[in-house]
Amino acid sequence: MKALVYTGPESQAYLEVADPVQAEGEALIKVAHTGICGSDMHAFLGHDERRPAPLILGHEVAGTVISGRLEGKRVTVNPLVTCGTCDACQSGRDNLCPDRQIISMPPREGGFAEYLTMPEANLVAVPDHVTDAQAALAEPIACGWHGVRLAKRVLATDPSEAKALVIGGGAIGLGAALSLKAQGVPNVRLVEPNVERAAYLKSMCGIEVLTPEAADASGFYDLIIDGVGYAATRASASKLAKPGAVIVHIGLGSADGGLDIRRMTLQEITFIGTYTYTAEDFRETAQAMFDGRLGELNWVETRPLSDGQRAFADLRAGQVMVPKILLTPVS
């Protein structure tokens, strides 16, 4: 099969590689689309030791099962594979499984390829009215869905009255904003410094978008979701959080700095770090998509998998206004 293979910092090659081997209990999937995630970009730049070259990246996948129990079904893929037996898995917190694996990290190759094998339990069948491109958005949106669910458990304010701010207009931030609304938090603003992307979000997604400067002057918030995860965005979240507020940290841009620990301590601001989602979160996200509760999900651009290197370069250069690029194998 053809695949886009990460070969070293800032380098990928479109190569012929061995087809994946379908194990018992797994499905063989013909990939329709795979989204480019920020974690893929970190790996591409050589900043993620968990993703050593050579490796097939990509974990936001939708496609059609061509062998297995769900043969013929279009599916969206939960890329997080867990043991199912540990305390975390048994308590419904399977995203914290100590033996978890995710495609695009060894030993599991990712979805920037023509074919992929996955455990059948990780697949959600897609109804006819949902396109493959829409279905590929389940994974990034599920990150925000999970974060919103965690925040609501400790939020002191009634969700319907809470004032929420999302930092970052990529797929993670946008997915979090849409998840807030779908889960009963209607008063949502989003911060996006890229002027073109901000205009796109306003016109295509119905989201109120602020510049960082306008956000700094907009007062305090009951709930802030940082979908970027750099020192500067953590500092903004610390500054704009109302006393007693909740900060949800999804983005993994960098590991150090930004949090105002003194202010968070003195004003009892809750900080929640969140990693991926549970299997139930993923299924709930998919159902919300299928029910139309997350909007039209038309904020994507598709490009051929063979042109993946250019897509990564354009993203790095800030030349992409849509929140998500999907790479598509072309037979």
Side-chain angles (χ1 to χ4, degrees):
M1 69 174 181
K2 290 289 190 180
L4 184 68
V5 180
Y6 166 62
T7 55
E10 300 187 47
S11 177
Q12 295 187 92
Y14 186 60
L15 303 173
E16 187 74 30
V17 301
D19 290 348
V21 178
Q22 182 182 3
E24 184 178 354
E26 290 188 337
L28 177 62
I29 301 162
K30 182 175 176 58
V31 175
H33 303 289
T34 302
I36 300 177
C37 176
S39 63
D40 296 317
M41 180 60 72
H42 295 321
F44 172 70
L45 296 176
H47 297 165
D48 190 346
E49 68 281 357
R50 302 172 303 169
R51 292 178 166 95
L55 183 67
I56 302 172
L57 300 174
H59 58 269
E60 303 173 356
V61 182
T64 299
V65 176
I66 60 173
S67 178
R69 183 175 56 84
L70 296 175
E71 184 174 347
K73 295 286 188 181
R74 293 186 307 117
V75 295
T76 183
V77 176
N78 175 354
L80 197 66
V81 181
T82 56
C83 75
T85 59
C86 68
D87 289 344
C89 287
Q90 290 295 303
S91 65
R93 304 178 73 196
D94 43 290
N95 62 314
L96 302 181
C97 173
D99 296 319
R100 68 194 177 210
Q101 299 176 349
I102 189 167
I103 60 173
S104 79
M105 286 187 196
R108 292 185 175 271
E109 299 281 5
F112 291 147
E114 291 184 287
Y115 299 99
L116 176 72
T117 56
M118 286 298 297
E120 292 177 333
N122 284 61
L123 308 180
V124 177
V126 176
D128 291 342
H129 70 277
V130 175
T131 68
D132 290 331
Q134 291 170 323
L137 297 175
E139 196 283 334
I141 297 176
C143 295
W145 186 275
H146 175 68
V148 172
R149 181 175 64 79
L150 295 182
K152 287 175 64 180
R153 296 194 311 196
V154 296
L155 190 64
T157 306
D158 186 305
S160 65
E161 299 176 357
K163 185 180 177 185
L165 182 72
V166 177
I167 301 174
I172 295 294
L174 177 56
L178 296 173
S179 295
L180 280 163
K181 293 190 174 187
Q183 292 191 49
V185 184
N187 187 358
V188 180
R189 290 173 166 176
L190 184 146
V191 183
E192 173 51 56
N194 184 299
V195 175
E196 290 186 352
R197 176 170 285 180
Y200 181 92
L201 292 171
K202 289 177 185 178
S203 64
M204 294 293 291
C205 306
I207 298 292
E208 182 179 358
V209 184
L210 304 177
T211 64
E213 295 76 19
D216 285 344
S218 64
F220 292 117
Y221 292 84
D222 302 289
L223 170 57
I224 300 177
I225 296 180
D226 184 351
V228 180
Y230 283 100
T233 57
R234 287 189 286 270
S236 294
S238 297
K239 175 183 176 181
L240 294 172
K242 182 179 179 180
V246 180
I247 297 173
V248 176
H249 191 268
I250 303 177
L252 289 172
S254 69
D256 300 321
L259 285 180
D260 185 342
I261 299 299
R262 180 176 178 82
R263 180 168 188 266
M264 292 175 65
T265 300
L266 295 176
Q267 299 193 340
E268 297 188 353
I269 296 167
T270 299
F271 179 90
I272 301 175
T274 170
Y275 176 77
T276 61
Y277 35 76
T278 67
E280 181 60 24
D281 287 319
F282 189 90
R283 290 188 291 267
E284 288 183 1
T285 301
Q287 191 60 54
M289 294 169 60
F290 303 160
D291 293 343
R293 295 166 54 203
L294 294 168
E296 297 184 24
L297 303 175
N298 56 353
W299 31 272
V300 303
E301 176 185 334
T302 60
R303 298 193 187 187
L305 181 63
S306 57
D307 200 28
Q309 175 80 7
R310 181 184 296 274
F312 273 79
D314 288 348
L315 282 166
R316 188 185 182 195
Q319 297 175 352
V320 179
M321 67 176 179
V322 297
K324 181 61 61 181
I325 288 183
L326 303 177
L327 297 184
T328 305
V330 179
S331 301

